[in-house]
Amino acid sequence: MNSEGTRRGALALVGMPGAGKTLCAQHLHARGFFTLRFGAVVVDEVHRRGLEVNPVNERGVREELRARHGMSAMASLSLPKLQKALDDHDCIVIDGLYSFSEYVFLRQHLGAPTILLAIAAPRHLRYQRLASRSVRPLTPDEAAERDLREINTLEKGGPIAMADYTLLNDASEAHLLDQLDRLLAKLGFRP
C-alpha cells in the first residue's frame, strides 16, 4: 500500500467467454483505472499486417505469437506497457488474462502483486449472452467449441481455478458492478 492506503498492483480479470469480463473492464476504465486488454496485442498485429480483423485471422496471429513467444506471449509482449502504467497508477487492470503461463510470467516479472479476479456465470447464461452480442454473436455450438478450445489450448482453466476472488454474474449488470466496486473498496484498489 502507498502512503494514502491504496493498494498497488494489477487486477487481472479472468473467466470464460460471456461471463462479464469486458463489462467489468469497461466499468473500471470509466472509473479511471488504467486498463489493458491482452487481446489488443493480437488485434494490433492483425492490423499491422493489413489483414481484416475476424476470428480466423485473430486465431492465426494469436497461435503464431504463442508459437514464437510461448504461452505467456500476451503478458511478455504487454510487459513494457504494464510496467509503465504502474509508474503512473497504483492499480492497473488486465482484461482477459488467458493462460496460466501469463499469470506465472506476471508474478515473476511485473514487479507488483497480481490479483486474479474470476468473473463466473452459468454456461446457459454465458451462451445466451454470446448469442445476443451485436458483434460476432455465437451459436450455442460455436460457444461450446470456443469453450473447449480455450480450455484445451489456451490453459484458460488454470487462472480461473487459482483466482484470488470470484464474482458470480447470474443477475443484472448493476448487481455485478456493485459486487466489483465493493470488492475493490475492500481491497483498497483505486485508480
Side-chain angles (χ1 to χ4, degrees), residues 85-119:
L86 280 169
D87 289 341
D88 300 325
H89 305 273
D90 288 317
C91 178
I92 61 173
V93 176
I94 299 167
D95 176 12
L97 183 142
Y98 280 81
S99 77
F100 190 70
S101 296
E102 291 169 346
Y103 173 61
V104 170
F105 179 89
L106 290 176
R107 284 184 53 119
Q108 294 171 348
H109 301 285
L110 185 59
T114 300
I115 304 295
L116 292 177
L117 173 58
I119 311 301

PDB file of all heavy atoms in Angstrom, residues 85-119:
ATOM      1  N   ALA A  85       2.616   1.742 -16.955  1.00  0.00           N
ATOM      2  CA  ALA A  85       1.345   2.125 -16.323  1.00  0.00           C
ATOM      3  C   ALA A  85       1.468   2.108 -14.807  1.00  0.00           C
ATOM      4  O   ALA A  85       0.891   2.956 -14.122  1.00  0.00           O
ATOM      5  CB  ALA A  85       0.228   1.207 -16.787  1.00  0.00           C
ATOM      6  N   LEU A  86       2.216   1.163 -14.261  1.00  0.00           N
ATOM      7  CA  LEU A  86       2.398   1.100 -12.804  1.00  0.00           C
ATOM      8  C   LEU A  86       3.232   2.267 -12.276  1.00  0.00           C
ATOM      9  O   LEU A  86       3.165   2.580 -11.093  1.00  0.00           O
ATOM     10  CB  LEU A  86       3.035  -0.235 -12.397  1.00  0.00           C
ATOM     11  CG  LEU A  86       2.068  -1.404 -12.319  1.00  0.00           C
ATOM     12  CD1 LEU A  86       2.824  -2.719 -12.188  1.00  0.00           C
ATOM     13  CD2 LEU A  86       1.085  -1.230 -11.168  1.00  0.00           C
ATOM     14  N   ASP A  87       3.998   2.917 -13.154  1.00  0.00           N
ATOM     15  CA  ASP A  87       4.720   4.126 -12.741  1.00  0.00           C
ATOM     16  C   ASP A  87       3.754   5.272 -12.450  1.00  0.00           C
ATOM     17  O   ASP A  87       4.038   6.138 -11.634  1.00  0.00           O
ATOM     18  CB  ASP A  87       5.704   4.577 -13.837  1.00  0.00           C
ATOM     19  CG  ASP A  87       6.897   3.651 -13.976  1.00  0.00           C
ATOM     20  OD1 ASP A  87       7.179   2.878 -13.027  1.00  0.00           O
ATOM     21  OD2 ASP A  87       7.544   3.687 -15.045  1.00  0.00           O
ATOM     22  N   ASP A  88       2.605   5.257 -13.141  1.00  0.00           N
ATOM     23  CA  ASP A  88       1.639   6.355 -13.038  1.00  0.00           C
ATOM     24  C   ASP A  88       0.366   6.010 -12.275  1.00  0.00           C
ATOM     25  O   ASP A  88      -0.418   6.900 -11.949  1.00  0.00           O
ATOM     26  CB  ASP A  88       1.241   6.823 -14.446  1.00  0.00           C
ATOM     27  CG  ASP A  88       2.429   7.319 -15.250  1.00  0.00           C
ATOM     28  OD1 ASP A  88       3.347   7.916 -14.656  1.00  0.00           O
ATOM     29  OD2 ASP A  88       2.441   7.090 -16.480  1.00  0.00           O
ATOM     30  N   HIS A  89       0.126   4.718 -12.036  1.00  0.00           N
ATOM     31  CA  HIS A  89      -1.119   4.272 -11.404  1.00  0.00           C
ATOM     32  C   HIS A  89      -0.805   3.250 -10.318  1.00  0.00           C
ATOM     33  O   HIS A  89       0.055   2.398 -10.502  1.00  0.00           O
ATOM     34  CB  HIS A  89      -2.054   3.616 -12.436  1.00  0.00           C
ATOM     35  CG  HIS A  89      -2.358   4.476 -13.614  1.00  0.00           C
ATOM     36  ND1 HIS A  89      -3.398   5.376 -13.622  1.00  0.00           N
ATOM     37  CD2 HIS A  89      -1.755   4.591 -14.815  1.00  0.00           C
ATOM     38  CE1 HIS A  89      -3.434   5.995 -14.798  1.00  0.00           C
ATOM     39  NE2 HIS A  89      -2.440   5.534 -15.533  1.00  0.00           N
ATOM     40  N   ASP A  90      -1.532   3.337  -9.222  1.00  0.00           N
ATOM     41  CA  ASP A  90      -1.347   2.343  -8.161  1.00  0.00           C
ATOM     42  C   ASP A  90      -1.923   0.992  -8.559  1.00  0.00           C
ATOM     43  O   ASP A  90      -1.372  -0.049  -8.244  1.00  0.00           O
ATOM     44  CB  ASP A  90      -2.002   2.812  -6.857  1.00  0.00           C
ATOM     45  CG  ASP A  90      -1.231   3.941  -6.215  1.00  0.00           C
ATOM     46  OD1 ASP A  90       0.006   3.866  -6.183  1.00  0.00           O
ATOM     47  OD2 ASP A  90      -1.869   4.899  -5.756  1.00  0.00           O
ATOM     48  N   CYS A  91      -3.055   1.015  -9.241  1.00  0.00           N
ATOM     49  CA  CYS A  91      -3.714  -0.232  -9.644  1.00  0.00           C
ATOM     50  C   CYS A  91      -3.987  -0.192 -11.140  1.00  0.00           C
ATOM     51  O   CYS A  91      -4.530   0.787 -11.647  1.00  0.00           O
ATOM     52  CB  CYS A  91      -5.019  -0.424  -8.883  1.00  0.00           C
ATOM     53  SG  CYS A  91      -5.923  -1.915  -9.381  1.00  0.00           S
ATOM     54  N   ILE A  92      -3.591  -1.253 -11.819  1.00  0.00           N
ATOM     55  CA  ILE A  92      -3.894  -1.392 -13.237  1.00  0.00           C
ATOM     56  C   ILE A  92      -4.780  -2.621 -13.418  1.00  0.00           C
ATOM     57  O   ILE A  92      -4.775  -3.529 -12.597  1.00  0.00           O
ATOM     58  CB  ILE A  92      -2.618  -1.494 -14.096  1.00  0.00           C
ATOM     59  CG1 ILE A  92      -1.786  -2.726 -13.702  1.00  0.00           C
ATOM     60  CG2 ILE A  92      -1.795  -0.213 -13.972  1.00  0.00           C
ATOM     61  CD1 ILE A  92      -0.599  -2.979 -14.607  1.00  0.00           C
ATOM     62  N   VAL A  93      -5.547  -2.620 -14.493  1.00  0.00           N
ATOM     63  CA  VAL A  93      -6.478  -3.706 -14.766  1.00  0.00           C
ATOM     64  C   VAL A  93      -6.073  -4.383 -16.069  1.00  0.00           C
ATOM     65  O   VAL A  93      -5.852  -3.714 -17.080  1.00  0.00           O
ATOM     66  CB  VAL A  93      -7.931  -3.182 -14.866  1.00  0.00           C
ATOM     67  CG1 VAL A  93      -8.888  -4.302 -15.244  1.00  0.00           C
ATOM     68  CG2 VAL A  93      -8.344  -2.515 -13.553  1.00  0.00           C
ATOM     69  N   ILE A  94      -5.987  -5.695 -16.013  1.00  0.00           N
ATOM     70  CA  ILE A  94      -5.705  -6.502 -17.202  1.00  0.00           C
ATOM     71  C   ILE A  94      -7.002  -7.214 -17.574  1.00  0.00           C
ATOM     72  O   ILE A  94      -7.529  -7.996 -16.786  1.00  0.00           O
ATOM     73  CB  ILE A  94      -4.590  -7.526 -16.940  1.00  0.00           C
ATOM     74  CG1 ILE A  94      -3.289  -6.804 -16.571  1.00  0.00           C
ATOM     75  CG2 ILE A  94      -4.399  -8.438 -18.156  1.00  0.00           C
ATOM     76  CD1 ILE A  94      -2.223  -7.711 -15.999  1.00  0.00           C
ATOM     77  N   ASP A  95      -7.507  -6.906 -18.752  1.00  0.00           N
ATOM     78  CA  ASP A  95      -8.749  -7.500 -19.231  1.00  0.00           C
ATOM     79  C   ASP A  95      -8.398  -8.725 -20.066  1.00  0.00           C
ATOM     80  O   ASP A  95      -7.805  -8.617 -21.126  1.00  0.00           O
ATOM     81  CB  ASP A  95      -9.504  -6.475 -20.080  1.00  0.00           C
ATOM     82  CG  ASP A  95     -10.779  -7.038 -20.702  1.00  0.00           C
ATOM     83  OD1 ASP A  95     -11.216  -8.132 -20.311  1.00  0.00           O
ATOM     84  OD2 ASP A  95     -11.331  -6.362 -21.582  1.00  0.00           O
ATOM     85  N   GLY A  96      -8.736  -9.902 -19.542  1.00  0.00           N
ATOM     86  CA  GLY A  96      -8.609 -11.108 -20.342  1.00  0.00           C
ATOM     87  C   GLY A  96      -7.282 -11.820 -20.261  1.00  0.00           C
ATOM     88  O   GLY A  96      -6.755 -12.231 -21.288  1.00  0.00           O
ATOM     89  N   LEU A  97      -6.722 -11.970 -19.063  1.00  0.00           N
ATOM     90  CA  LEU A  97      -5.580 -12.870 -18.908  1.00  0.00           C
ATOM     91  C   LEU A  97      -6.105 -14.271 -19.194  1.00  0.00           C
ATOM     92  O   LEU A  97      -7.104 -14.690 -18.625  1.00  0.00           O
ATOM     93  CB  LEU A  97      -5.042 -12.774 -17.478  1.00  0.00           C
ATOM     94  CG  LEU A  97      -3.807 -13.604 -17.161  1.00  0.00           C
ATOM     95  CD1 LEU A  97      -2.886 -12.829 -16.238  1.00  0.00           C
ATOM     96  CD2 LEU A  97      -4.159 -14.928 -16.545  1.00  0.00           C
ATOM     97  N   TYR A  98      -5.465 -14.979 -20.104  1.00  0.00           N
ATOM     98  CA  TYR A  98      -5.977 -16.270 -20.540  1.00  0.00           C
ATOM     99  C   TYR A  98      -5.207 -17.448 -19.966  1.00  0.00           C
ATOM    100  O   TYR A  98      -5.775 -18.356 -19.391  1.00  0.00           O
ATOM    101  CB  TYR A  98      -5.958 -16.377 -22.070  1.00  0.00           C
ATOM    102  CG  TYR A  98      -7.119 -15.673 -22.715  1.00  0.00           C
ATOM    103  CD1 TYR A  98      -7.089 -14.308 -22.918  1.00  0.00           C
ATOM    104  CD2 TYR A  98      -8.248 -16.371 -23.092  1.00  0.00           C
ATOM    105  CE1 TYR A  98      -8.165 -13.656 -23.496  1.00  0.00           C
ATOM    106  CE2 TYR A  98      -9.331 -15.729 -23.677  1.00  0.00           C
ATOM    107  CZ  TYR A  98      -9.278 -14.373 -23.874  1.00  0.00           C
ATOM    108  OH  TYR A  98     -10.344 -13.738 -24.433  1.00  0.00           O
ATOM    109  N   SER A  99      -3.912 -17.471 -20.161  1.00  0.00           N
ATOM    110  CA  SER A  99      -3.176 -18.696 -19.858  1.00  0.00           C
ATOM    111  C   SER A  99      -2.525 -18.657 -18.481  1.00  0.00           C
ATOM    112  O   SER A  99      -2.187 -17.597 -17.959  1.00  0.00           O
ATOM    113  CB  SER A  99      -2.103 -18.947 -20.926  1.00  0.00           C
ATOM    114  OG  SER A  99      -0.993 -18.100 -20.735  1.00  0.00           O
ATOM    115  N   PHE A 100      -2.348 -19.826 -17.929  1.00  0.00           N
ATOM    116  CA  PHE A 100      -1.654 -19.940 -16.651  1.00  0.00           C
ATOM    117  C   PHE A 100      -0.218 -19.434 -16.802  1.00  0.00           C
ATOM    118  O   PHE A 100       0.328 -18.817 -15.886  1.00  0.00           O
ATOM    119  CB  PHE A 100      -1.679 -21.393 -16.161  1.00  0.00           C
ATOM    120  CG  PHE A 100      -1.191 -21.523 -14.750  1.00  0.00           C
ATOM    121  CD1 PHE A 100      -1.943 -21.044 -13.692  1.00  0.00           C
ATOM    122  CD2 PHE A 100       0.027 -22.119 -14.476  1.00  0.00           C
ATOM    123  CE1 PHE A 100      -1.502 -21.155 -12.382  1.00  0.00           C
ATOM    124  CE2 PHE A 100       0.479 -22.235 -13.166  1.00  0.00           C
ATOM    125  CZ  PHE A 100      -0.279 -21.758 -12.126  1.00  0.00           C
ATOM    126  N   SER A 101       0.376 -19.646 -17.972  1.00  0.00           N
ATOM    127  CA  SER A 101       1.735 -19.155 -18.224  1.00  0.00           C
ATOM    128  C   SER A 101       1.803 -17.635 -18.144  1.00  0.00           C
ATOM    129  O   SER A 101       2.800 -17.078 -17.683  1.00  0.00           O
ATOM    130  CB  SER A 101       2.242 -19.629 -19.589  1.00  0.00           C
ATOM    131  OG  SER A 101       2.348 -21.026 -19.630  1.00  0.00           O
ATOM    132  N   GLU A 102       0.752 -16.945 -18.591  1.00  0.00           N
ATOM    133  CA  GLU A 102       0.718 -15.482 -18.480  1.00  0.00           C
ATOM    134  C   GLU A 102       0.725 -15.069 -17.013  1.00  0.00           C
ATOM    135  O   GLU A 102       1.435 -14.133 -16.631  1.00  0.00           O
ATOM    136  CB  GLU A 102      -0.526 -14.926 -19.178  1.00  0.00           C
ATOM    137  CG  GLU A 102      -0.496 -15.055 -20.684  1.00  0.00           C
ATOM    138  CD  GLU A 102      -1.820 -14.741 -21.354  1.00  0.00           C
ATOM    139  OE1 GLU A 102      -2.864 -14.677 -20.672  1.00  0.00           O
ATOM    140  OE2 GLU A 102      -1.809 -14.559 -22.580  1.00  0.00           O
ATOM    141  N   TYR A 103      -0.049 -15.749 -16.216  1.00  0.00           N
ATOM    142  CA  TYR A 103      -0.107 -15.444 -14.787  1.00  0.00           C
ATOM    143  C   TYR A 103       1.257 -15.659 -14.128  1.00  0.00           C
ATOM    144  O   TYR A 103       1.751 -14.794 -13.397  1.00  0.00           O
ATOM    145  CB  TYR A 103      -1.178 -16.307 -14.122  1.00  0.00           C
ATOM    146  CG  TYR A 103      -1.210 -16.207 -12.620  1.00  0.00           C
ATOM    147  CD1 TYR A 103      -1.462 -14.999 -11.981  1.00  0.00           C
ATOM    148  CD2 TYR A 103      -0.989 -17.329 -11.835  1.00  0.00           C
ATOM    149  CE1 TYR A 103      -1.497 -14.916 -10.594  1.00  0.00           C
ATOM    150  CE2 TYR A 103      -1.027 -17.251 -10.451  1.00  0.00           C
ATOM    151  CZ  TYR A 103      -1.280 -16.042  -9.840  1.00  0.00           C
ATOM    152  OH  TYR A 103      -1.306 -15.962  -8.471  1.00  0.00           O
ATOM    153  N   VAL A 104       1.888 -16.786 -14.404  1.00  0.00           N
ATOM    154  CA  VAL A 104       3.204 -17.081 -13.831  1.00  0.00           C
ATOM    155  C   VAL A 104       4.215 -16.032 -14.286  1.00  0.00           C
ATOM    156  O   VAL A 104       5.011 -15.527 -13.484  1.00  0.00           O
ATOM    157  CB  VAL A 104       3.666 -18.509 -14.209  1.00  0.00           C
ATOM    158  CG1 VAL A 104       5.123 -18.743 -13.836  1.00  0.00           C
ATOM    159  CG2 VAL A 104       2.760 -19.547 -13.550  1.00  0.00           C
ATOM    160  N   PHE A 105       4.176 -15.667 -15.559  1.00  0.00           N
ATOM    161  CA  PHE A 105       5.096 -14.644 -16.086  1.00  0.00           C
ATOM    162  C   PHE A 105       4.918 -13.323 -15.344  1.00  0.00           C
ATOM    163  O   PHE A 105       5.904 -12.696 -14.930  1.00  0.00           O
ATOM    164  CB  PHE A 105       4.857 -14.449 -17.589  1.00  0.00           C
ATOM    165  CG  PHE A 105       5.749 -13.412 -18.198  1.00  0.00           C
ATOM    166  CD1 PHE A 105       6.996 -13.759 -18.705  1.00  0.00           C
ATOM    167  CD2 PHE A 105       5.372 -12.076 -18.254  1.00  0.00           C
ATOM    168  CE1 PHE A 105       7.834 -12.800 -19.261  1.00  0.00           C
ATOM    169  CE2 PHE A 105       6.196 -11.114 -18.801  1.00  0.00           C
ATOM    170  CZ  PHE A 105       7.429 -11.476 -19.303  1.00  0.00           C
ATOM    171  N   LEU A 106       3.679 -12.880 -15.160  1.00  0.00           N
ATOM    172  CA  LEU A 106       3.441 -11.610 -14.475  1.00  0.00           C
ATOM    173  C   LEU A 106       3.918 -11.663 -13.029  1.00  0.00           C
ATOM    174  O   LEU A 106       4.489 -10.691 -12.532  1.00  0.00           O
ATOM    175  CB  LEU A 106       1.958 -11.237 -14.535  1.00  0.00           C
ATOM    176  CG  LEU A 106       1.438 -10.839 -15.913  1.00  0.00           C
ATOM    177  CD1 LEU A 106      -0.061 -10.597 -15.872  1.00  0.00           C
ATOM    178  CD2 LEU A 106       2.170  -9.614 -16.454  1.00  0.00           C
ATOM    179  N   ARG A 107       3.674 -12.768 -12.361  1.00  0.00           N
ATOM    180  CA  ARG A 107       4.149 -12.894 -10.969  1.00  0.00           C
ATOM    181  C   ARG A 107       5.663 -12.761 -10.889  1.00  0.00           C
ATOM    182  O   ARG A 107       6.188 -12.204  -9.931  1.00  0.00           O
ATOM    183  CB  ARG A 107       3.703 -14.228 -10.380  1.00  0.00           C
ATOM    184  CG  ARG A 107       2.240 -14.245 -10.005  1.00  0.00           C
ATOM    185  CD  ARG A 107       1.857 -15.545  -9.343  1.00  0.00           C
ATOM    186  NE  ARG A 107       2.742 -15.838  -8.233  1.00  0.00           N
ATOM    187  CZ  ARG A 107       2.369 -15.971  -6.972  1.00  0.00           C
ATOM    188  NH1 ARG A 107       1.107 -15.850  -6.668  1.00  0.00           N
ATOM    189  NH2 ARG A 107       3.224 -16.244  -6.030  1.00  0.00           N
ATOM    190  N   GLN A 108       6.359 -13.239 -11.913  1.00  0.00           N
ATOM    191  CA  GLN A 108       7.819 -13.212 -11.903  1.00  0.00           C
ATOM    192  C   GLN A 108       8.400 -11.889 -12.390  1.00  0.00           C
ATOM    193  O   GLN A 108       9.482 -11.504 -11.960  1.00  0.00           O
ATOM    194  CB  GLN A 108       8.379 -14.353 -12.760  1.00  0.00           C
ATOM    195  CG  GLN A 108       8.088 -15.725 -12.212  1.00  0.00           C
ATOM    196  CD  GLN A 108       8.466 -16.836 -13.179  1.00  0.00           C
ATOM    197  OE1 GLN A 108       8.743 -16.597 -14.362  1.00  0.00           O
ATOM    198  NE2 GLN A 108       8.464 -18.060 -12.691  1.00  0.00           N
ATOM    199  N   HIS A 109       7.701 -11.185 -13.291  1.00  0.00           N
ATOM    200  CA  HIS A 109       8.328 -10.052 -13.978  1.00  0.00           C
ATOM    201  C   HIS A 109       7.652  -8.692 -13.810  1.00  0.00           C
ATOM    202  O   HIS A 109       8.276  -7.673 -14.118  1.00  0.00           O
ATOM    203  CB  HIS A 109       8.426 -10.350 -15.479  1.00  0.00           C
ATOM    204  CG  HIS A 109       9.216 -11.570 -15.801  1.00  0.00           C
ATOM    205  ND1 HIS A 109      10.591 -11.605 -15.732  1.00  0.00           N
ATOM    206  CD2 HIS A 109       8.825 -12.812 -16.164  1.00  0.00           C
ATOM    207  CE1 HIS A 109      11.013 -12.812 -16.052  1.00  0.00           C
ATOM    208  NE2 HIS A 109       9.958 -13.571 -16.315  1.00  0.00           N
ATOM    209  N   LEU A 110       6.417  -8.644 -13.346  1.00  0.00           N
ATOM    210  CA  LEU A 110       5.704  -7.363 -13.323  1.00  0.00           C
ATOM    211  C   LEU A 110       6.272  -6.389 -12.297  1.00  0.00           C
ATOM    212  O   LEU A 110       6.304  -5.189 -12.526  1.00  0.00           O
ATOM    213  CB  LEU A 110       4.205  -7.584 -13.073  1.00  0.00           C
ATOM    214  CG  LEU A 110       3.326  -6.346 -13.136  1.00  0.00           C
ATOM    215  CD1 LEU A 110       3.423  -5.657 -14.502  1.00  0.00           C
ATOM    216  CD2 LEU A 110       1.879  -6.709 -12.842  1.00  0.00           C
ATOM    217  N   GLY A 111       6.714  -6.903 -11.173  1.00  0.00           N
ATOM    218  CA  GLY A 111       7.246  -6.020 -10.145  1.00  0.00           C
ATOM    219  C   GLY A 111       6.186  -5.496  -9.199  1.00  0.00           C
ATOM    220  O   GLY A 111       6.430  -4.548  -8.446  1.00  0.00           O
ATOM    221  N   ALA A 112       4.997  -6.077  -9.244  1.00  0.00           N
ATOM    222  CA  ALA A 112       3.896  -5.714  -8.354  1.00  0.00           C
ATOM    223  C   ALA A 112       2.996  -6.938  -8.238  1.00  0.00           C
ATOM    224  O   ALA A 112       2.969  -7.777  -9.142  1.00  0.00           O
ATOM    225  CB  ALA A 112       3.120  -4.524  -8.920  1.00  0.00           C
ATOM    226  N   PRO A 113       2.253  -7.045  -7.146  1.00  0.00           N
ATOM    227  CA  PRO A 113       1.358  -8.203  -6.998  1.00  0.00           C
ATOM    228  C   PRO A 113       0.303  -8.256  -8.107  1.00  0.00           C
ATOM    229  O   PRO A 113      -0.173  -7.226  -8.579  1.00  0.00           O
ATOM    230  CB  PRO A 113       0.682  -7.969  -5.645  1.00  0.00           C
ATOM    231  CG  PRO A 113       1.538  -6.984  -4.939  1.00  0.00           C
ATOM    232  CD  PRO A 113       2.225  -6.159  -5.981  1.00  0.00           C
ATOM    233  N   THR A 114      -0.028  -9.470  -8.518  1.00  0.00           N
ATOM    234  CA  THR A 114      -1.094  -9.686  -9.489  1.00  0.00           C
ATOM    235  C   THR A 114      -2.213 -10.447  -8.796  1.00  0.00           C
ATOM    236  O   THR A 114      -2.011 -11.566  -8.326  1.00  0.00           O
ATOM    237  CB  THR A 114      -0.584 -10.488 -10.701  1.00  0.00           C
ATOM    238  OG1 THR A 114       0.482  -9.767 -11.325  1.00  0.00           O
ATOM    239  CG2 THR A 114      -1.698 -10.720 -11.717  1.00  0.00           C
ATOM    240  N   ILE A 115      -3.373  -9.820  -8.711  1.00  0.00           N
ATOM    241  CA  ILE A 115      -4.556 -10.412  -8.098  1.00  0.00           C
ATOM    242  C   ILE A 115      -5.447 -10.931  -9.219  1.00  0.00           C
ATOM    243  O   ILE A 115      -5.768 -10.191 -10.157  1.00  0.00           O
ATOM    244  CB  ILE A 115      -5.344  -9.367  -7.267  1.00  0.00           C
ATOM    245  CG1 ILE A 115      -4.457  -8.708  -6.212  1.00  0.00           C
ATOM    246  CG2 ILE A 115      -6.600  -9.972  -6.664  1.00  0.00           C
ATOM    247  CD1 ILE A 115      -3.958  -9.633  -5.144  1.00  0.00           C
ATOM    248  N   LEU A 116      -5.830 -12.201  -9.144  1.00  0.00           N
ATOM    249  CA  LEU A 116      -6.724 -12.784 -10.137  1.00  0.00           C
ATOM    250  C   LEU A 116      -8.173 -12.640  -9.665  1.00  0.00           C
ATOM    251  O   LEU A 116      -8.513 -13.072  -8.566  1.00  0.00           O
ATOM    252  CB  LEU A 116      -6.423 -14.263 -10.345  1.00  0.00           C
ATOM    253  CG  LEU A 116      -5.101 -14.615 -11.008  1.00  0.00           C
ATOM    254  CD1 LEU A 116      -4.927 -16.128 -11.064  1.00  0.00           C
ATOM    255  CD2 LEU A 116      -5.001 -14.019 -12.400  1.00  0.00           C
ATOM    256  N   LEU A 117      -9.002 -12.045 -10.497  1.00  0.00           N
ATOM    257  CA  LEU A 117     -10.427 -11.909 -10.216  1.00  0.00           C
ATOM    258  C   LEU A 117     -11.197 -12.656 -11.294  1.00  0.00           C
ATOM    259  O   LEU A 117     -11.199 -12.252 -12.461  1.00  0.00           O
ATOM    260  CB  LEU A 117     -10.852 -10.437 -10.190  1.00  0.00           C
ATOM    261  CG  LEU A 117     -12.352 -10.188 -10.060  1.00  0.00           C
ATOM    262  CD1 LEU A 117     -12.932 -10.835  -8.801  1.00  0.00           C
ATOM    263  CD2 LEU A 117     -12.655  -8.698 -10.090  1.00  0.00           C
ATOM    264  N   ALA A 118     -11.812 -13.765 -10.905  1.00  0.00           N
ATOM    265  CA  ALA A 118     -12.614 -14.545 -11.844  1.00  0.00           C
ATOM    266  C   ALA A 118     -14.035 -13.993 -11.883  1.00  0.00           C
ATOM    267  O   ALA A 118     -14.636 -13.733 -10.840  1.00  0.00           O
ATOM    268  CB  ALA A 118     -12.635 -16.012 -11.434  1.00  0.00           C
ATOM    269  N   ILE A 119     -14.541 -13.835 -13.082  1.00  0.00           N
ATOM    270  CA  ILE A 119     -15.943 -13.490 -13.297  1.00  0.00           C
ATOM    271  C   ILE A 119     -16.585 -14.770 -13.817  1.00  0.00           C
ATOM    272  O   ILE A 119     -16.160 -15.307 -14.847  1.00  0.00           O
ATOM    273  CB  ILE A 119     -16.107 -12.338 -14.324  1.00  0.00           C
ATOM    274  CG1 ILE A 119     -15.183 -11.151 -14.003  1.00  0.00           C
ATOM    275  CG2 ILE A 119     -17.571 -11.919 -14.403  1.00  0.00           C
ATOM    276  CD1 ILE A 119     -15.387 -10.532 -12.644  1.00  0.00           C
TER     277      ILE A 119
END
